[in-house]
Amino acid sequence: MDTLDAMRVLVAVVERNGFSAAAEALDISTPAVTRHIAALEKRLATRLLNRTTRRVSPTSVGAAYYQRCVRLLAEFDELEAAVGAQALQPSGRLRINAPVSYGIARIAPLLAGYRARHPQVQLDLTLSDRQVDMVEEGFDLAIRITRNPSPALIARKLGDAAVILCAAPAYLAAHGTPATPGDLAAHQCLAYSYWAGGDSWLLQGPEGEISVNVGGGLRANNGEVLREAAIAAMGIVAQPDFIVGQALAGGRLVRVLPDYRIASIGIHAVYPSRSHLAPKVRSFIDYLLEQLAPDQPDTAEASSSSTSAGSGSGRPSR
């Protein structure tokens, strides 16, 4: 027996003073009404209704139970209506995780526009350079910059980040400009700690793919630190365009080996499950896709980055 259905039947019987009238109001048969009441009384081990040939009335226990049923059913209907409305309109708290650099450079400028469009959504953005467990830590959505999104997550690609080899003019003036990928082995190359290739940089050029073992006097787990070190003429860096873009535009860094490149890396919005995707998650992904068009230039600098981990590697940065 469905207890809620039985409670609704009892309320209808009491309010309409009879089984037949309740059956008509609920659009069920009179025997079905009888079965619901009998099952409810059996479940509660007490009589709820006094029945005569002319009328049906609640017992004292039944009257008290009827009053509670009315309140509980009203609260339940209100709850279902609220959940149903939320299921149609973006609302509630949206927990987002993003890499620090990309979060500051690309996600932060979009938050006001999204909130203006969806004021019922409360945004909760966590910037972290570690790969979070989305389910365990309660995130609805994450931004991951990687060539290989986790097969355990659903991924929507937002675009690509180009990885750029660059150095300060002062460094190149002092140490010479590499003419071929092999020349990098003789230079100070600033290493990103999470680079999947370790001390090898894989470049693509006219001769195809070339792997070069590099080394230098600085290794860091933060893309902005490496950018600033490159600006200070400490060596050659390979970082995504959203980290080095403004420094390149301002002439503080210049491209090295422009005929060669490190493969770009995908920017993805990921979430745990495709089923019953909440409107708040779907609307935020759609907004990102709208705002982060693939042909949109990436020139902003950012703050720090495990994003850059993905940029030079085949492993997820998040």
Side-chain angles (χ1 to χ4, degrees):
M1 178 194 71
D2 186 296
T3 303
L4 282 174
D5 287 345
M7 290 167 65
R8 292 189 191 279
V9 170
L10 175 71
V11 168
V13 170
V14 172
E15 292 180 347
R16 288 163 177 78
N17 299 309
F19 282 48
S20 297
E24 183 177 351
L26 297 172
D27 195 25
I28 60 176
S29 67
T30 301
V33 171
T34 301
R35 288 194 297 272
H36 276 295
I37 296 301
L40 191 59
E41 289 180 329
K42 182 178 180 180
R43 175 186 175 86
L44 299 172
T46 188
R47 177 176 286 276
L48 298 173
L49 299 172
N50 290 316
R51 306 161 177 83
T52 68
T53 56
R54 287 192 290 183
R55 61 172 298 179
V56 175
S57 61
T59 64
S60 59
V61 173
Y65 187 72
Y66 159 79
Q67 294 293 339
R68 294 294 298 274
C69 285
V70 169
R71 292 196 295 272
L72 287 172
L73 289 170
E75 290 178 6
F76 180 78
D77 290 342
E78 182 180 346
L79 174 63
E80 281 204 322
V83 172
Q86 187 175 3
L88 297 174
Q89 296 297 327
S91 62
R93 182 186 181 203
L94 177 62
R95 296 200 66 214
I96 309 160
N97 172 257
V100 178
S101 294
Y102 193 81
I104 294 173
R106 289 289 178 265
I107 303 301
L110 303 181
L111 300 181
Y114 176 82
R115 276 277 295 160
R117 189 176 297 184
H118 300 291
Q120 299 304 312
V121 178
Q122 295 83 47
L123 296 172
D124 184 344
L125 175 62
T126 297
L127 301 182
S128 172
D129 285 347
R130 68 181 178 86
Q131 184 166 313
V132 301
D133 184 317
M134 292 186 63
V135 175
E136 184 175 328
E137 299 181 46
F139 286 102
D140 301 298
L141 178 71
I143 306 300
R144 293 192 175 167
I145 303 182
T146 176
R147 294 190 183 95
N148 301 302
S150 168
L153 299 171
I154 309 301
R156 293 285 303 278
K157 191 171 184 179
L158 304 175
D160 291 287
V163 183
I164 300 174
L165 282 169
C166 51
Y171 173 85
L172 298 176
H175 300 278
T177 300
T180 68
D183 293 342
L184 292 172
H187 281 267
Q188 292 291 309
C189 293
L190 308 177
Y192 186 72
S193 301
Y194 300 143
W195 197 282
D199 293 327
S200 295
W201 289 359
L202 184 63
L203 284 75
Q204 298 172 342
E207 306 91 344
E209 289 188 343
I210 301 174
S211 180
V212 182
N213 290 327
V214 298
L218 175 65
R219 180 183 300 272
N221 68 347
N222 180 283
E224 191 167 57
V225 166
L226 296 175
R227 183 197 64 203
E228 293 304 308
I231 291 172
M234 289 185 65
I236 298 172
V237 72
Q239 285 293 303
D241 45 11
F242 59 83
I243 289 181
V244 298
Q246 286 187 358
L248 287 165
R252 291 176 292 165
L253 295 175
V254 296
R255 288 179 180 265
V256 172
L257 295 172
D259 292 335
Y260 297 84
R261 66 183 182 89
I262 294 174
S264 62
I265 193 159
I267 303 165
H268 305 269
V270 301
Y271 49 96
S273 174
R274 195 186 303 275
S275 62
H276 303 298
L277 184 62
K280 60 184 179 182
V281 177
R282 187 184 306 278
S283 65
F284 194 76
I285 293 174
D286 289 343
Y287 185 74
L288 293 180
L289 287 167
E290 171 191 314
Q291 298 297 318
L292 300 171
D295 58 350
Q296 179 176 322
D298 257 313
T299 55
E301 287 180 345
S303 282
S304 82
S305 163
S306 87
T307 332
S308 30
S311 44
S313 71
R315 61 170 253 172
S317 63
R318 286 288 169 279

